[in-house]
Amino acid sequence: MVSVINTVDTSHEDMIHDAQMDYYGTRLATCSSDRSVKIFDVKNGGQILVADLRGHEGPVWQVAWAHPMYGNILASCSYDRKVIIWKEENGTWDKMYEYTGHDSSVNSVCWGPYDFGLILACGSSDGAISLVTCSGDQQWDIKKISNAHTIGCNAVSWAPSVVPGSLIDQPSGQKPNFIKRFVSGGCDNLVKLWKEEDGQWKEDQKLEAHSDWVRDVGWAPSIGLPTSTIASCSQDGRVFIWTCDDPSGNTWTAKLLHKFNDVVWHVSWSVTGNILAVSGGDNKVTLWKESADGQWACISDVNKGQGAVSSIADGATNEQ
Amino acid sequence: MAARWSSENVVVELRDAQATAMSVDCLGGHAVLSGRRFLYVVNLETPSEAPRKIGRPSKWDVGTVQWNPHKAESHVFAASSNQRVDLYTWRDGCGEVHASLQGHTRVISDLDWSWFEPEYLVTSSVDTYICIWDTRDTRKPTVALSAVAGASQVKWNKRNQYLLASSHDGDVRIWDKRKPNTAVEYVAAHLSKIHGLDWHPDNEHILATSSQDNSVRFWDYRQPRKYLNILSCQVPVWKARYTPFSNGLVTVMVPQLRRENSLLLWSALDLNSPVHAFVGHDDVVLEFQWRPQKEASKDYQMVTLSRDQTLRIWRLDPQLQKLCANDLVEDLMEGISLTTESEKSLPSQDPEPTVHSSGLPSEDLQGEDQAGSLTSGGRHDPSALPQTLQQEFSLVNLQIRNVNVEMDAVNRSCVVSALFGTNQVHLVVKFPSHYPNNAAPSFQFISPTTIPTAMRTKIQKILTDTSLQKVKRNQNCLEPCVRQLVSCLESYMTQEDGSAANPYVLSNPVTPALPAFPRVTNTYGSYQDANIPFPRTSGARFCGTGCLVYFTRPITMHRSVPPTEPTPRSLSALSAYHSGVLTPMKMRSESQSSLRLYSGSPTHTDKDHVSISSFYYKERKPAQSVLRRWSIHDCPKSRRFKTKREGADYGNRPIKLAGKIIIQEISCLLPVHKALGETYILNVNDIQDTCLKNAAAALVVGRRDMAKVWALASAATSLELSPDSDPDADAPWARHPFGRHLLETLLDHYSLMSDVQTLAMLCSVFRSQGCSQDYFSLYGQHRSSLFPSHHLRYPSYTSSSVSSGSCYSTSDSTTTTTWSIGRDPEHIPPLGESSPDDYRYANQMYADPREREREQHDMNKRLLDPANTMQFDDFKKCYGEILHRWGLKEKRAEVLKFTSCPPEPHKGIEFGVYCCHCRSQARGTQCAVCKRFTFQCAICHVAVRGSSNFCLSCGHGGHTSHMMEWFRTQDECPTGCGCRCLLQSTF
């Protein structure tokens, strides 16, 4: 059964803008307009405040956990144009690195899959996307894609490292040379795919469908199937699912998931990549699932703060 | 917000200086401020140092002060004082008067150094003369232009050395100093007095005038009848000057309220809305000047002097400069017209104290405040008097549910009707004519008010108190009073029916009348936020493996009113909710920025002023004047001073701005099960048992389908179906429809379900069943090897990274058996796993048809199609990742054992040879193309890494010592290839 297993009162003094659990689902990071980032231990239904991270001078928009093989690392981005990377060492959280290379609000941060190393993509309202890579001992390497989106970049999301097709063409026996890719969405109403080639980031694809600012993009996790999937949502209330079966990654087809009445702010994929959580200005959360015949259907409606996902499809997934 | 970013400012406080004028020298190093008793020279490089003083024995204030703009004369400045201009020299931290220009008979209104000739200075005076002085001859002006009317401003043209402009009331005259008899051109520029005049920096024909008539106009003096453009401000404009960069314009408004923000940056290309507001000064900005741009700096710095006796230095970064250059803000600003609401005359000239409602606490910033002058207005604008009460009425933010306010500005009264549950309240508020100047309005209940008398008295008292508090400070009180009323009624209601019902939903909603005033821009620096997306206030994220974390706006914030308008897309949209008064948040530079936040102990009063929540808040409790809650505004560099709060302010109910974060277990929606992850086993030694146990495990969690699948798997892997190693025997089970085909169908099905758990488990089980040669079908097809299995004795050569367990080659060819003897004669289970390396090195040396057939058979007998191995590996890796998230690391390792990881590329000594297998050039002992050791010893079959010899004819060879040994007695190749190496080659 779908059940609420924890309700965390963050005591943030202002509105919350993001909440995310770590890899194992044991810790929760939240960020708020009150300029703070908080980390809670939520193991076994508890909610112990582990850290209250102050360092931003503006509302904090988003947080992102790095893969645990690099340690307990959290990135946060803020209106104050800064990206701060926090690290827990000996139980205390501290600033590990502060990136100040953007000229406007940084709206989105996303860590790459661990195979790519400790790499963070940051999208900013100055239109640029920065790729911040930890190249060893406290050395940070910055690559910046200027003018990635005119007016501003609102969201970034990495492609999974397991991208079927990309590996098959590898010279046999060599360790697969991961092609780093990510997707971004911006105020130019575009969804753009980026690819690293010879150490340079290049625009790979430009996906057009939205009629207003793209607010979030999410590259679905791969389970090893030869299809890449991306969800994008926009101010125009539309959510599109982009799929690409083509191993070369050039042909993307869009499918309208739904048109909402208000802005859609966020899309999030389940770990198996078959359920999409959509949330937006209407203060509601809906879950969507693709049926066997390729249609997307809303399987539940998480009501505003009321609690349970009224699961329409409880257990249905288990019936074969 | 944006204000802060662009204008991280330096503040110099000059207590007691009473500075009235300021100038920055042409090198940007110093600013001179004229106080009553001293002139102060501030070193702008080290502004924190105490300013140097120059004594000034005059009873007259300095009217204008200006440094000589020429580098050679940059140590000279002129200061006008009554009828005289004193020329000062500033050297080595000391200044003294070196000359005085006396010629005017009345007070000097303005002076300006020539841009072209360092000695020339022009002065204007109310004595109607404009004098041009050559400072080398101070006895009398070189030229005196008679203007008949007194002049308020005089400015040299920046591009033409002869031209200058002077303003006379609402007119501008253009003079050519070579033709002093009469003005070259007259421009009837404004209806009221011109306060400011500025030539375009690049175009000698264009100038901007700012006037008491609430506008800035742009002129080409050659077309004096029609202005080029107009900037309507609705407040008198004190100064309007071009920026040194692009097409910017900076204006200083004449604010009505002391703390109103009046320093704005515009793009001359788009006068609809300012680009930026410089927030910080608490009082009228008296003067602003640009520092010359430093070398290699893209920033410009503006120095401002305010009557709050602070000097501030603002940085304008290229971003901001760019905003002046193009109209990026375009449609984002749609519907927002600039109407800075403040009104009235120049504070410096206005004798009426009522104009300045002084000392507003920083929080207190309702729309009505700035409108609050009833008595002042009229002097310059006859229509101002009725406007002001109207202004309060129109700006007051009273979109409170169940409350209706009918306002009648003409009769100076309004009727507040509130409907709470079964109770009705009707209240007449009458405003005395002096309101809000210490004159409180009266409150009277009228029928059909239904609340008891005791309550009425109580409310009346509260309202009177509230209003008195406000008007004592010369502030408007309608909105606070109405809020008080509402909160009283609410608490009364709750008491009355004792229920916890939300008063907001009790009664039928009265649609609040939208205030009938145009949206007013507050200009609070929000223009730069036009491209920053409106923040998310709700969201949901899948986290870990089976959790959905979500947060929404707190219920209090959206319960009652469905959003009538879509959520804005950009942060700047919030400025639309401001009502024209600028937040008087006091800014300090740096550091202390977040004191308030750190100090903890949040009270609702703290919060409800400072958030994006204002947008939502408005929906529910609209009356809480939205603009005051805009926290971003006070973010980075500012610190909000919590001056004494009006205790009576607004409802007592704390409003939570942060909702709860809810973590939901949604794993039942997912195709993977943690319980299965824990109980599934992978026992390569007993596949049958594995399948049966897994089937049972699947049943336990209710996956009946999986139980069947495991039963199938068990059947398919049963010993009876195990493939015969002889290719001539029956077709292997894999070729049967229930073999590979069935498995593929299953995999397809679970792929559709995204059930990576099942996929990975099936792949693992069948891989172990089908032996691991599939991998080499990808990697090893074209390889041949002289190197059968030998590495087993030398484990250091094994590069198999994941495969473990018994390493048996199922494909040892007869020719290699001799070398296999050395192995453990361990029993080979029929379904045993083989090491990839066995296959790699053992298989394809003898590519005779039998071998090929066998190879084919190897492929065929496997249930998993070898062609898809990579994909199967991906399943396992993905599942491994999920197991990792579940914390099942051992299970993960078990699954990952079945992936066919390519070996790490060898790194070692390099020497150029052609690979003996694939004939490609190789550097090192391993071929880059085929990944095999480039050559190996024909005797010991170990790859040669050290000294070696080979036959250049057949390519065989090996360790030097072995070769020497062999060829001591033989002359044919040790491999038996028939090559007579000793004859063929010459080694």
Side-chain angles (χ1 to χ4, degrees):
Chain A
M1 281 304 293
V2 171
S3 54
V4 173
I5 53 171
N6 207 339
T7 307
V8 181
D9 187 353
T10 59
S11 308
H12 274 298
E13 293 166 38
D14 209 331
M15 301 200 82
I16 296 169
H17 298 306
D18 195 21
Q20 196 176 131
M21 285 206 285
D22 68 351
Y23 184 83
Y24 301 110
T26 55
R27 283 199 267 196
L28 175 74
T30 61
C31 62
S32 151
S33 259
D34 70 7
R35 311 173 201 178
S36 69
V37 174
K38 295 189 181 188
I39 299 174
F40 296 87
D41 188 330
V42 292
K43 265 200 297 279
N44 309 321
Q47 46 181 78
I48 304 154
L49 180 66
V50 176
D52 185 350
L53 307 176
R54 308 277 177 163
H56 282 295
E57 297 166 79
V60 188
W61 299 142
Q62 208 174 59
V63 289
W65 289 93
H67 193 278
M69 80 176 272
Y70 299 105
N72 290 321
I73 294 175
L74 184 76
S76 60
C77 63
S78 158
Y79 177 81
D80 69 3
R81 310 169 174 197
K82 285 195 281 196
V83 174
I84 299 182
I85 298 173
W86 312 85
K87 182 166 189 176
E88 184 191 28
E89 237 146 344
N90 307 322
T92 51
W93 284 86
D94 251 316
K95 244 182 237 186
M96 182 187 188
Y97 178 64
E98 188 172 295
Y99 174 59
T100 52
H102 283 291
D103 298 327
S104 185
S105 164
V106 185
N107 303 318
S108 182
V109 283
C110 186
W111 289 102
Y114 75 96
D115 315 63
F116 298 171
L118 194 55
I119 182 168
L120 182 75
C122 324
S124 161
S125 282
D126 64 6
I129 297 172
S130 292
L131 292 133
V132 181
T133 316
C134 182
S135 50
D137 194 30
Q138 287 294 309
Q139 291 297 306
W140 296 84
D141 179 42
I142 313 291
K143 277 185 189 141
K144 198 163 171 182
I145 309 173
S146 295
N147 205 23
H149 289 276
T150 11
I151 309 181
C153 173
N154 298 337
V156 285
S157 173
W158 284 90
S161 60
V162 181
V163 180
S166 66
L167 298 185
I168 288 169
D169 301 330
Q170 294 293 318
S172 53
Q174 261 176 22
K175 197 150 177 90
N177 196 5
F178 293 110
I179 298 174
K180 294 179 192 156
R181 291 201 288 173
F182 69 88
V183 60
S184 65
C187 301
D188 50 7
N189 309 350
L190 293 176
V191 173
K192 288 185 177 180
L193 305 187
W194 305 87
K195 191 176 184 177
E196 194 186 40
E197 275 172 18
D198 310 320
Q200 295 302 309
W201 286 94
K202 297 204 173 107
E203 185 182 315
D204 188 33
Q205 289 287 311
K206 197 191 279 182
L207 311 181
E208 286 177 74
H210 288 293
S211 58
D212 206 339
W213 293 9
V214 178
R215 288 303 307 265
D216 198 15
V217 286
W219 202 311
S222 161
I223 58 158
L225 296 170
T227 309
S228 298
T229 309
I230 290 172
S232 66
C233 64
S234 155
Q235 186 73 30
D236 65 13
R238 292 190 177 86
V239 176
F240 279 104
I241 307 291
W242 303 86
T243 49
C244 171
D245 302 322
D246 169 15
S248 56
N250 294 328
T251 329
W252 290 83
T253 45
K255 183 173 223 167
L256 181 65
L257 178 97
H258 189 64
K259 162 96 168 67
F260 292 84
N261 291 326
D262 202 349
V263 50
V264 183
W265 281 327
H266 196 47
V267 284
S268 174
W269 289 101
S270 70
V271 68
T272 46
N274 63 330
I275 304 177
L276 184 72
V278 178
S279 54
D282 59 4
N283 214 26
K284 284 183 182 159
V285 176
T286 47
L287 302 185
W288 298 77
K289 191 175 173 187
E290 191 179 18
S291 64
D293 57 348
Q295 296 304 310
W296 286 90
C298 180
I299 56 166
S300 74
D301 213 331
V302 182
N303 283 321
K304 26 186 171 179
Q306 305 284 17
V309 169
S310 55
S311 173
I312 299 161
D314 248 12
T317 51
N318 301 339
E319 301 305 322
Q320 307 305 321
Chain B
M1 49 200 318
R4 248 148 241 101
W5 296 123
S6 54
S7 33
E8 292 164 26
N9 60 67
V10 176
V11 182
V12 184
E13 296 213 26
L14 302 145
R15 301 234 175 276
D16 314 319
Q18 294 178 287
T20 54
M22 183 266 293
S23 175
V24 176
D25 73 359
C26 68
L27 302 174
H30 296 94
V32 60
L33 292 90
S34 60
R36 184 169 284 264
R37 291 169 50 217
F38 298 98
L39 292 170
Y40 299 85
V41 177
V42 178
N43 185 341
L44 295 175
E45 300 300 332
T46 55
S48 51
E49 274 178 20
R52 306 291 186 116
K53 293 183 191 173
I54 305 171
R56 204 178 68 83
S58 168
K59 62 174 180 169
W60 307 103
D61 273 348
V62 170
T64 313
V65 62
Q66 193 179 59
W67 289 92
N68 191 312
H70 297 273
K71 285 218 168 81
E73 295 286 314
S74 64
H75 56 284
V76 174
F77 64 86
S80 70
S81 171
N82 200 12
Q83 307 167 9
R84 199 179 73 210
V85 173
D86 291 322
L87 298 178
Y88 288 80
T89 317
W90 175 256
R91 275 208 176 94
D92 309 321
C94 297
E96 54 177 14
V97 179
H98 68 264
S100 290
L101 310 175
Q102 302 199 39
H104 284 293
T105 56
R106 303 268 312 267
V107 64
I108 295 172
S109 55
D110 197 15
L111 63 85
D112 197 29
W113 288 95
S114 166
W115 295 92
F116 296 91
E117 294 147 300
E119 299 83 17
Y120 280 79
L121 180 73
V122 65
T123 56
S124 64
S125 161
V126 267
D127 68 6
T128 75
Y129 282 96
I130 292 161
C131 298
I132 299 172
W133 305 80
D134 183 334
T135 53
R136 290 165 296 196
D137 175 13
T138 57
R139 287 166 301 171
K140 61 176 179 59
T142 44
V143 184
L145 313 169
S146 172
V148 185
S152 58
Q153 289 272 293
V154 63
K155 293 285 179 267
W156 289 100
N157 191 302
K158 293 171 187 166
R159 312 299 296 175
N160 183 324
Q161 66 178 102
Y162 304 113
L163 281 184
L164 49 105
S166 62
S167 68
H168 311 262
D169 243 354
D171 298 338
V172 172
R173 296 179 196 199
I174 311 294
W175 305 84
D176 186 325
K177 73 169 184 180
R178 296 166 298 186
K179 304 172 194 163
N181 296 336
T182 177
V184 177
E185 197 61 78
Y186 288 79
V187 184
H190 288 273
L191 300 172
S192 314
K193 184 175 178 185
I194 294 171
H195 295 307
L197 189 63
D198 194 37
W199 285 97
H200 195 281
D202 303 316
N203 188 322
E204 65 166 288
H205 304 298
I206 292 182
L207 70 160
T209 55
S210 51
S211 158
Q212 181 68 27
D213 72 0
N214 304 354
S215 68
V216 178
R217 297 186 192 195
F218 303 87
W219 303 90
D220 184 328
Y221 71 80
R222 297 167 298 180
Q223 300 160 5
R225 287 161 187 276
K226 179 70 185 140
Y227 52 81
L228 297 172
N229 210 342
I230 183 168
L231 168 60
S232 301
C233 299
Q234 301 204 352
V235 272
V237 189
W238 178 226
K239 286 285 182 283
R241 290 193 197 132
Y242 291 101
T243 55
F245 52 83
S246 49
N247 287 299
L249 184 81
V250 172
T251 60
V252 174
M253 305 295 175
V254 180
Q256 179 194 353
L257 295 179
R258 280 183 61 219
R259 290 187 180 171
E260 212 161 281
N261 193 1
S262 61
L263 191 60
L264 301 173
L265 175 66
W266 303 78
S267 163
L269 301 175
D270 174 20
L271 295 172
N272 291 322
S273 54
V275 163
H276 187 77
F278 299 92
V279 181
H281 280 304
D282 291 339
D283 206 337
V284 184
V285 175
L286 296 169
E287 182 58 87
F288 63 94
Q289 300 230 324
W290 296 93
R291 283 180 83 176
Q293 200 172 15
K294 286 206 194 80
E295 264 177 57
S297 166
K298 288 180 184 155
D299 294 343
Y300 277 90
Q301 289 188 342
M302 186 171 70
V303 182
T304 58
L305 171 70
S306 159
R307 213 161 52 177
D308 62 11
Q309 296 308 316
T310 56
L311 186 79
R312 283 168 192 263
I313 306 175
W314 313 80
R315 189 171 63 82
L316 280 86
D317 59 18
Q319 193 88 357
L320 197 55
Q321 296 167 26
K322 216 162 62 188
L323 285 173
C324 300
N326 56 35
D327 42 358
L328 192 135
V329 282
E330 0 149 288
D331 62 314
L332 303 173
M333 295 303 130
E334 226 172 83
I336 301 176
S337 63
L338 172 98
T339 48
T340 309
E341 286 294 321
S342 49
E343 193 40 63
K344 304 322 134 230
S345 60
L346 261 177
S348 55
Q349 300 179 341
D350 197 321
E352 289 174 86
T354 54
V355 178
H356 319 290
S357 61
S358 56
L360 288 191
S362 62
E363 255 70 54
D364 208 305
L365 216 271
Q366 289 103 320
E368 71 248 48
D369 282 349
Q370 43 88 24
S373 155
L374 282 173
T375 50
S376 66
R379 274 199 321 149
H380 302 284
D381 183 357
S383 68
L385 187 75
Q387 228 174 35
T388 41
L389 187 59
Q390 213 160 21
Q391 263 178 338
E392 170 171 7
F393 284 169
S394 63
L395 291 168
V396 75
N397 188 349
L398 286 174
Q399 294 183 55
I400 309 173
R401 271 184 87 77
N402 307 329
V403 174
N404 197 14
V405 183
E406 288 165 26
M407 294 174 281
D408 183 352
V410 178
N411 293 318
R412 313 191 61 79
S413 72
C414 69
V415 179
V416 181
S417 339
L419 190 62
F420 281 86
T422 53
N423 289 312
Q424 286 185 48
V425 174
H426 293 265
L427 184 70
V428 175
V429 187
K430 283 195 178 342
F431 299 89
S433 58
H434 290 300
Y435 170 86
N437 183 21
N438 213 0
S442 66
F443 301 91
Q444 196 183 0
F445 287 101
I446 54 167
S447 67
T449 300
T450 57
I451 54 169
T453 324
M455 190 67 195
R456 290 190 197 191
T457 325
K458 199 176 146 195
I459 290 179
Q460 212 152 12
K461 177 161 185 340
I462 290 171
L463 292 180
T464 315
D465 289 351
T466 310
S467 62
L468 273 174
Q469 267 182 5
K470 290 286 173 184
V471 296
K472 261 188 208 156
R473 287 192 207 80
N474 201 11
Q475 295 163 8
N476 298 328
C477 65
L478 177 59
E479 186 176 331
C481 286
V482 174
R483 283 175 195 293
Q484 272 303 322
L485 174 69
V486 170
S487 87
C488 287
L489 288 172
E490 269 173 28
S491 55
Y492 169 65
M493 287 295 300
T494 352
Q495 285 167 12
E496 192 189 46
D497 53 28
S499 78
N502 186 334
Y504 290 112
V505 295
L506 280 178
S507 53
N508 55 328
V510 175
T511 318
L514 275 169
F517 61 91
R519 275 189 174 180
V520 173
T521 307
N522 150 318
T523 72
Y524 196 162
S526 55
Y527 298 94
Q528 282 201 320
D529 296 332
N531 53 353
I532 297 177
F534 193 85
R536 296 172 185 147
T537 52
S538 71
R541 237 183 230 280
F542 285 105
C543 291
T545 41
C547 288
L548 180 71
V549 175
Y550 67 90
F551 60 96
T552 49
R553 296 187 288 277
I555 222 138
T556 43
M557 224 175 261
H558 53 73
R559 176 102 161 253
S560 54
V561 185
T564 49
E565 51 191 312
T567 313
R569 67 178 180 182
S570 143
L571 205 47
S572 65
L574 276 164
S575 63
Y577 298 91
H578 293 220
S579 45
V581 184
L582 305 169
T583 319
M585 289 162 191
K586 192 149 173 176
M587 279 179 49
R588 288 293 133 142
S589 61
E590 279 98 297
S591 70
Q592 307 153 313
S593 57
S594 349
L595 275 183
R596 186 182 61 85
L597 287 178
Y598 289 48
S599 61
S601 130
T603 63
H604 76 282
T605 47
D606 260 323
K607 288 188 280 179
D608 60 8
H609 292 287
V610 293
S611 174
I612 291 159
S613 54
S614 51
F615 174 74
Y616 302 101
Y617 216 22
K618 183 197 72 169
E619 290 174 0
R620 179 182 156 264
K621 249 192 143 179
Q624 288 224 355
S625 118
V626 170
L627 60 110
R628 301 183 302 138
R629 267 172 257 115
W630 182 216
S631 68
I632 287 191
H633 279 168
D634 70 332
C635 31
K637 298 281 181 207
S638 80
R639 172 179 143 200
R640 297 165 51 84
F641 272 73
K642 292 211 53 81
T643 51
K644 31 188 165 122
R645 283 208 49 77
E646 280 68 30
D649 224 324
Y650 324 136
N652 302 317
R653 296 146 35 107
I655 308 278
K656 262 189 121 54
L657 294 176
K660 292 200 162 131
I661 291 180
I662 295 166
I663 303 174
Q664 249 182 9
E665 169 73 39
I666 46 92
S667 41
C668 65
L669 299 177
L670 297 178
V672 294
H673 299 262
K674 187 176 179 188
L676 283 183
E678 280 164 355
T679 48
Y680 271 166
I681 54 164
L682 268 175
N683 181 0
V684 290
N685 294 321
D686 194 344
I687 296 293
Q688 289 288 294
D689 182 52
T690 302
C691 292
L692 290 175
K693 286 199 171 131
N694 288 347
L699 269 184
V700 170
V701 299
R703 286 287 301 262
R704 288 191 302 262
D705 65 307
M706 279 310 300
K708 297 285 179 237
V709 168
W710 283 115
L712 282 176
S714 156
T717 54
S718 72
L719 282 175
E720 300 92 77
L721 295 177
S722 65
D724 203 307
S725 59
D726 182 0
D728 296 332
D730 286 346
W733 181 248
R735 308 291 288 166
H736 191 274
F738 283 177
R740 188 185 290 180
H741 181 70
L742 176 73
L743 184 56
E744 275 171 2
T745 317
L746 281 175
L747 292 181
D748 282 349
H749 175 74
Y750 287 105
S751 292
L752 266 182
M753 316 276 314
S754 298
D755 187 352
V756 68
Q757 187 172 36
T758 305
L759 291 172
M761 289 304 289
L762 288 178
C763 290
S764 299
V765 165
F766 285 100
R767 179 182 159 91
S768 70
Q769 180 270 342
C771 83
S772 59
Q773 294 164 0
D774 45 4
Y775 161 65
F776 301 99
S777 62
L778 282 161
Y779 287 98
Q781 288 290 15
H782 55 291
R783 295 177 198 152
S784 62
S785 173
L786 291 167
F787 196 29
S789 310
H790 220 96
H791 61 283
L792 284 176
R793 288 184 223 144
Y794 304 95
S796 59
Y797 288 132
T798 353
S799 54
S800 162
S801 53
V802 285
S803 295
S804 61
S806 56
C807 293
Y808 276 94
S809 169
T810 54
S811 56
D812 279 346
S813 65
T814 45
T815 49
T816 62
T817 40
T818 37
W819 284 291
S820 301
I821 287 168
R823 303 177 179 185
D824 303 340
E826 196 189 306
H827 165 67
I828 303 172
L831 301 173
E833 170 194 34
S834 72
S835 156
D837 303 298
D838 289 344
Y839 182 71
R840 172 172 4 162
Y841 297 118
N843 191 21
Q844 295 159 340
M845 178 181 170
Y846 305 100
D848 61 46
R850 274 199 321 145
E851 193 57 36
R852 229 172 279 138
E853 186 187 11
R854 173 178 296 278
E855 199 179 290
Q856 189 66 44
H857 180 64
D858 280 341
M859 294 295 165
N860 286 343
K861 72 186 182 191
R862 266 170 286 148
L863 284 168
L864 285 172
D865 187 351
N868 293 331
T869 309
M870 292 308 289
Q871 192 181 353
F872 301 150
D873 280 352
D874 285 343
F875 291 150
K876 290 167 209 160
K877 282 180 199 157
C878 291
Y879 182 47
E881 194 73 355
I882 290 174
L883 286 169
H884 193 199
R885 284 175 183 266
W886 281 334
L888 304 172
K889 291 185 179 149
E890 284 170 20
K891 296 285 177 188
R892 171 170 177 259
E894 275 178 21
V895 171
L896 289 186
K897 266 203 311 203
F898 293 93
T899 57
S900 45
C901 239
E904 299 275 342
H906 172 78
K907 288 177 189 150
I909 314 150
E910 294 186 350
F911 55 101
V913 286
Y914 287 98
C915 174
C916 64
H917 311 299
C918 65
R919 293 283 151 205
S920 56
Q921 194 166 10
R923 296 170 57 88
T925 53
Q926 200 175 22
C927 172
V929 178
C930 68
K931 285 295 144 231
R932 318 181 66 184
F933 292 114
T934 41
F935 59 94
Q936 48 191 257
C937 181
I939 308 286
C940 68
H941 292 273
V942 173
V944 182
R945 290 159 184 255
S947 86
S948 57
N949 295 89
F950 4 61
C951 169
L952 296 179
S953 169
C954 66
H956 298 132
H959 297 105
T960 305
S961 54
H962 294 158
M963 289 298 123
M964 296 294 279
E965 189 87 34
W966 175 265
F967 286 111
R968 197 162 288 151
T969 56
Q970 308 284 333
D971 58 357
E972 278 191 11
C973 178
T975 59
C977 69
C979 171
R980 303 180 77 83
C981 300
L982 281 184
L983 299 176
Q984 297 291 335
S985 52
T986 55
F987 73 97

